[in-house]
Amino acid sequence: MKNIKIFTLIELLVVISIIAILAGMLLPALNKARNKGHEINCMNNLKQSGIGFLGYIDDYNDFFPNVHGGAYGSPDMEPGDAGFKEWYELLLPYGMKTAFLRCHSDPNVKSGGAAGWETRPSYIYNGMFAFAKRINTLRNLSGNIILSERGDTVEALGHGGYPGFKDPDATPPKWENDLKKDRHGNQSNYLYCDGHAKAHNFEETVGDRSEEQNEHFVKEYLSTYF
């Protein structure tokens, strides 16, 4: 009859301690890898949205999705008006999918998104482009931001766009608070008019906050902040 090895309580405690130490070493690495995966997925969402934008622009004579019409500060259409469509609804015929609206680092995604994704995407449209504006007037497509990551303010949650045509320091309210500045570490992802996406610290996107350095502002559409 073979002898059966019986572990003592001390030996079991040692094994459990070793497992706990290894888990403590591995979990941060696993969390980091998971968060990096979310960041890459978010970047892909923006690039897919960029393809939708460019398809729409090609079909609509160089116009960006015309959500509001009218002029800055005096829109022809507002949410709730008959026929009003959000930017992503206008992109649906051009490959836009609901899945591309969801960043998995967005707390609303993690909680299951009680509001539903038709009304609460993770990304928010720069209002500079929502008033019947054309792409062929831009001189620096790779330097103008069209989509940012949505923040958690009441204004951001209740609207599909932010007023990038205004001074980011103007009060009340500061539109920069409508954007999430640190969804991925100390950065967030941004989509540019040429279709490329990039991670930035928010301050990098506004520079010294002048019209010349602010990538959310388009000087071809306005010479100074509205």
Side-chain angles (χ1 to χ4, degrees):
M1 185 174 179
K2 294 182 178 180
N3 293 327
I4 299 175
K5 174 67 175 177
I6 299 176
F7 288 97
T8 67
L9 178 59
I10 293 177
E11 288 173 325
L12 287 173
L13 289 174
V14 169
V15 171
I16 292 171
S17 298
I18 292 172
I19 292 173
I21 291 170
L22 290 174
M25 295 171 61
L26 288 173
L27 282 176
L30 291 173
N31 287 335
K32 185 176 181 180
R34 181 193 61 192
N35 292 337
K36 187 63 179 178
H38 290 171
E39 180 182 353
I40 292 171
N41 180 259
C42 174
M43 193 78 75
N44 184 62
N45 287 344
L46 289 171
K47 290 177 180 178
Q48 292 295 328
S49 298
I51 292 171
F53 274 112
L54 294 175
Y56 178 99
I57 289 165
D58 188 56
D59 261 8
Y60 281 83
N61 199 27
D62 292 332
F63 281 96
F64 289 99
N66 184 19
V67 173
H68 290 300
Y72 298 123
S74 182
D76 289 338
M77 295 280 287
E78 290 276 26
D81 291 346
F84 177 86
K85 289 186 177 181
E86 288 287 3
W87 62 271
Y88 51 87
E89 295 178 290
L90 296 171
L91 300 185
L92 290 176
Y94 304 96
M96 190 66 188
K97 297 180 180 179
T98 304
F100 301 153
L101 300 175
R102 305 173 182 175
C103 172
H104 291 283
S105 292
D106 184 342
N108 202 59
V109 172
K110 294 178 182 178
S111 66
W117 284 101
E118 291 73 20
T119 57
R120 208 304 193 181
S122 294
Y123 310 102
I124 191 166
Y125 190 31
N126 184 353
M128 288 263 19
F129 304 97
F131 294 83
K133 298 301 179 183
R134 301 179 80 165
I135 196 171
N136 59 1
T137 60
L138 302 181
R139 294 190 294 269
N140 184 19
L141 296 178
S142 64
N144 294 127
I145 291 171
I146 189 169
L147 283 184
S148 299
E149 295 202 62
R150 183 195 291 264
D152 300 313
T153 64
V154 172
E155 178 66 22
L157 295 176
H159 203 279
Y162 64 98
F165 46 86
K166 293 183 178 180
D167 187 334
D169 288 326
T171 54
K174 289 186 177 183
W175 62 256
E176 68 174 89
N177 295 331
D178 297 336
L179 310 187
K180 190 65 177 177
K181 301 177 183 178
D182 55 358
R183 181 144 288 151
H184 309 286
N186 65 345
Q187 298 180 320
S188 282
N189 294 329
Y190 299 87
L191 176 69
Y192 288 79
C193 289
D194 65 347
H196 90 275
K198 192 171 182 179
H200 279 299
N201 178 286
F202 176 77
E203 295 302 324
E204 293 174 340
T205 71
V206 293
D208 64 4
R209 296 175 179 256
S210 66
E211 290 91 337
E212 288 73 21
Q213 293 193 17
N214 182 359
E215 294 184 330
H216 303 265
F217 185 78
V218 182
K219 288 206 69 177
E220 291 86 345
Y221 298 160
L222 282 176
S223 58
T224 60
Y225 290 129
F226 178 83

